[in-house]
């Protein structure tokens, strides 16, 4: 769990933003209150953030900044609906490096018209692509995962899920759970990867933010 | 919706949505109040939230809920569960049970904020003992009020301090402050400060009448 968090100090070092900017964005609700996680450390109280989400959110803010006021930006970023309206062509997906060509060719067709990918459709492609390109899963497993996502996600309430990819004795399985979920496995199980829907959409939003400012 | 409300004397109101609200005297609102302008001379009590664009106050206002708006200036006392005002200029006392946020906050007097005090530009002229759990923003300045100093000479009491757990900002300039942690780019620790740890990026100045236990350059 510790790996998923980043301290405020590390965050400022990594992104080059200032305290002033961070507090300004917090006031404007560009960074949600829930992301500020307080923990006691040996130096006293420290604030931590969910690493992947905050890094891509800051990347989004910095890249959207030109031409938009902070208030306009807050509206756009918090509004998932504006992303749901986005449609993107196969060519753009490849050019922008959102999903690899291999994944797109293999699974893209099943999502319908190749020139109009929707945000929700892309989330599944994006999830599969991340595991594939990390070399964590085989093509066969990718097929299983994609099918699972397509069939099962709609059954989860409020659409927020977490995915656990585990292997035991060479046999792999995917476990899809309602977020937030915590699972415990027996000793023989190796957790290959874990993904959350919230992380995925946050990253995808970053990659698609340019669509909103065009 | 767009009616004006004018109160002279002692009254109570259910609250509601107004254009301009003018109170001279005392008024108790039983619910939320929303208005464009509020002009208060006297005393107001709101058992809910107040949302306004502009407000002028000479006197006291106490809210059970939050106080939100574009600008507020005046003198007196404000008590609220939380405050969110872009431009706040107050001579007097500010008492907030939760967070106090704004772009430009100027307070001459005393304040007590139980949560986060956050502003782009914060200037406090200390007049009485003050505190905040956390302070965060861009330019943060804490000074001693000149009137306060005069008063202090006539009736010497214990030192007036601003106490905070954590202070974080880009440019921080403090006097009479007691804090466990100060983090900033450019930090000036002035006279009569007691700071456990200062972490700074660019510069740090410490006055000879200040104590800083640990200094860390990041």
């Amino acid at each position: 769990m510790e790996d998923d968090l980043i301290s405020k100090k590390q965050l400022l070092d990594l992104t080059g933003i200032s305290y002033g900017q961070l507090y300004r964005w917090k006031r404007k609700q560009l960074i949600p209150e829930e992301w500020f996680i307080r923990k006691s450390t040996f130096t006293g109280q420290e604030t931590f953030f969910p690493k992947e989400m905050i890094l891509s959110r800051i990347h989004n803010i910095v890249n959207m900044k030109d031409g938009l006021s902070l208030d306009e930006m807050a509206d756009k970023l918090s509004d998932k609906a504006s992303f749901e309206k986005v449609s993107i062509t196969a060519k753009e997906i490849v050019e922008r490096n959102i999903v690899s060509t291999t994944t797109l060719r293999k699974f893209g067709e099943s999502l319908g018209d190749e020139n109009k990918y929707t945000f929700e459709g892309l989330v599944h492609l994006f999830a599969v692509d991340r595991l594939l390109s990390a070399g964590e899963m085989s093509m066969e497993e990718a097929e299983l995962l994609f099918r699972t996502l397509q069939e099962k996600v709609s059954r989860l309430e409020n659409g927020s899920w977490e995915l656990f990819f585990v292997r035991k004795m060479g046999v792999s399985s995917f476990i899809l759970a309602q977020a937030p979920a915590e699972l415990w496995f027996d000793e023989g199980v190796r957790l290959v990867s874990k993904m959350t829907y919230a992380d995925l959409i946050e990253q995808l939003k970053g990659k698609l933010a340019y669509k909103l400012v065009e | 919706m767009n009616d004006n409300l004018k109160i002279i004397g002692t009254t109570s109101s259910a609250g509601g949505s107004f254009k301009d609200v003018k109170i001279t005297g005392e008024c108790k609102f039983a619910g939320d109040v929303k208005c464009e302008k509020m002009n208060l001379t006297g005393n107001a009590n709101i058992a809910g939230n107040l949302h306004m664009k502009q407000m002028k106050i000479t006197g006291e206002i106490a809210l059970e809920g939050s106080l939100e708006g574009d600008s507020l200036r005046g003198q007196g006392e404000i008590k609220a569960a939380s405050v969110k005002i872009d431009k706040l200029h107050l001579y007097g006392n500010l008492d907030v049970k939760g967070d106090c946020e704004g772009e430009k906050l100027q307070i001459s007097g005393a304040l007590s904020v139980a949560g986060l005090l956050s502003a782009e530009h914060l200037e406090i002229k200390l007049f009485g003992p003050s505190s905040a759990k956390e302070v965060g923003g861009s330019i943060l300045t804490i000074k001693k009020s000149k009137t306060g100093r005069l008063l202090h000479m006539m009736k010497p009491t214990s030192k007036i301090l601003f106490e905070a757990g954590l202070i974080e900002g880009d440019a921080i300039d403090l006097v009479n402050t007691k804090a466990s942690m100060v983090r900033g780019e450019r930090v000036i620790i002035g006279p009569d400060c007691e700071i456990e740890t200062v972490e700074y990026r660019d510069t740090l100045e410490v006055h000879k009448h200040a104590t800083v236990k640990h200094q860390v350059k990041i």
Side-chain angles (χ1 to χ4, degrees):
Chain A
M1 198 52 204
E2 294 295 317
D3 298 346
D4 302 340
L5 296 178
I6 184 170
S7 77
K8 194 188 274 173
K9 214 189 298 172
Q10 287 172 312
L11 180 72
L12 297 198
D13 283 340
L14 214 62
T15 55
I17 61 166
S18 70
Y19 286 112
Q21 279 170 307
L22 195 66
Y23 280 101
R24 191 179 311 142
W25 297 339
K26 185 187 179 184
R27 282 196 305 277
K28 293 286 178 193
Q29 281 148 24
L30 286 170
I31 301 173
E33 185 79 43
E34 312 88 76
W35 292 8
F36 288 75
I37 301 161
R38 266 155 239 275
K39 284 189 159 211
S40 327
T41 59
F42 65 95
T43 50
Q45 280 258 326
E46 277 256 32
T47 304
F48 291 84
F49 299 92
K51 190 170 176 180
E52 289 195 20
M53 287 202 267
I54 189 86
L55 284 177
S56 43
R57 177 56 65 96
I58 285 177
H59 178 85
N60 294 353
I61 296 171
V62 172
N63 286 300
M64 271 172 99
K65 218 161 65 181
D66 305 321
L68 278 182
S69 75
L70 284 176
D71 289 322
E72 286 168 335
M73 223 164 20
D75 287 345
K76 280 203 165 162
L77 283 174
S78 61
D79 186 14
K80 206 167 134 254
S82 59
F83 281 97
E84 274 160 3
K85 277 185 236 131
V86 167
S87 83
I88 183 166
T89 65
K91 199 169 148 238
E92 276 179 291
I93 293 178
V94 175
E95 276 174 3
R96 291 260 165 190
N97 215 0
I98 297 169
V99 171
S100 72
T101 346
T102 329
T103 312
L104 190 65
R105 228 181 266 144
K106 179 104 182 142
F107 304 105
E109 282 171 25
S110 61
L111 288 173
D113 190 353
E114 73 163 295
N115 285 319
K116 273 203 188 90
Y117 290 100
T118 60
F119 189 75
E120 282 307 311
L122 262 180
V123 175
H124 297 168
L125 272 186
F126 189 62
V128 171
D129 191 55
R130 257 189 43 180
L131 288 176
L132 262 184
S133 14
E136 279 170 340
M137 121 182 127
S138 72
M139 210 43 149
E140 266 168 51
E141 288 165 340
E143 273 172 48
L144 178 64
L145 170 62
F146 188 70
R147 232 177 26 238
T148 315
L149 287 175
Q150 291 291 85
E151 285 168 12
K152 305 288 192 306
V153 158
S154 55
R155 297 191 199 168
L156 290 164
E157 262 174 69
N158 72 38
S160 183
W161 46 264
E162 291 187 14
L163 177 85
F164 297 82
F165 176 32
V166 295
R167 274 209 187 98
K168 184 178 183 180
M169 312 274 281
V171 180
S172 50
S173 327
F174 295 100
I175 299 159
L176 203 57
Q178 179 89 52
E182 268 193 81
L183 302 184
W184 280 271
F185 306 101
D186 68 72
E187 277 171 20
V189 172
R190 191 168 79 85
L191 179 65
V192 185
S193 189
K194 183 191 151 188
M195 277 194 281
T196 70
Y197 178 68
D199 270 347
L200 288 171
I201 59 167
E202 194 55 42
Q203 288 177 23
L204 202 54
K205 276 180 181 181
K207 297 198 183 244
L208 294 177
Y210 78 97
K211 275 284 198 187
L212 296 182
V213 277
E214 259 173 4
Chain B
M1 170 73 203
N2 285 323
D3 285 346
N4 293 337
L5 178 72
K6 205 167 177 183
I7 289 166
I8 299 173
T10 307
T11 331
S12 59
S13 155
S17 206
F18 309 98
K19 194 164 172 280
D20 294 352
V21 176
K22 201 168 178 181
I23 302 166
T24 314
E26 210 179 292
C27 187
K28 271 192 179 153
F29 292 92
D32 293 354
V33 179
K34 202 178 163 191
C35 62
E36 297 274 314
K37 264 191 202 169
M38 183 177 270
N39 217 315
L40 168 67
T41 313
N43 230 312
N45 232 305
I46 300 177
N49 308 309
L50 168 60
H51 196 287
M52 48 75 194
K53 287 218 168 91
Q54 258 186 57
M55 182 165 174
K56 248 188 189 166
I57 173 173
T58 312
E60 279 177 43
I61 185 164
L63 296 103
E64 276 174 29
S66 67
L67 172 60
E68 285 186 31
D70 295 345
S71 89
L72 187 156
R73 53 184 306 139
Q75 45 254 268
E77 188 171 15
I78 298 172
K79 281 186 184 171
S82 70
V83 172
K84 198 169 187 175
I85 293 171
D86 285 349
K87 276 175 88 171
L88 172 73
H89 197 152
L90 179 74
Y91 291 88
N93 190 24
L94 179 66
D95 197 333
V96 187
K97 291 195 189 78
D99 294 349
C100 178
E101 299 181 352
E103 292 309 306
K104 194 166 184 186
L105 301 182
Q106 280 177 288
I107 296 149
S108 302
L111 83 163
S112 126
V113 176
L116 170 71
L117 173 61
S118 170
E120 192 63 28
H121 202 129
L122 172 74
E123 194 184 289
I124 301 172
K125 287 186 181 154
L126 279 183
F127 200 105
S130 299
S131 66
K133 187 165 167 257
E134 284 179 21
V135 185
S138 185
I139 303 169
L140 313 173
T141 315
I142 293 172
K143 292 182 188 168
K144 240 156 90 178
S145 149
K146 287 199 179 107
T147 344
R149 212 175 296 159
L150 208 73
L151 227 91
H152 196 70
M153 262 162 31
M154 303 208 283
K155 187 181 148 221
T157 46
S158 60
K159 243 172 234 162
I160 294 166
L161 281 181
F162 175 73
E163 290 186 58
L166 168 77
I167 302 176
E168 284 182 334
D170 299 338
I172 301 176
D173 191 345
L174 307 172
V175 299
N176 289 51
T177 300
K178 190 176 171 183
S180 19
M181 173 69 88
V182 175
R183 290 200 186 100
E185 311 270 321
R186 298 174 298 283
V187 181
I188 301 173
I189 304 291
D192 299 317
C193 283
E194 274 176 63
I195 316 287
E196 282 285 318
T197 312
V198 178
E199 291 182 0
Y200 64 104
R201 271 159 205 278
D202 293 345
T203 54
L204 170 66
E205 281 174 40
V206 180
H207 192 271
K208 58 179 184 219
H209 292 302
T211 42
V212 173
K213 282 200 188 138
H214 310 280
Q215 298 184 6
V216 188
K217 183 166 166 63
I218 322 172

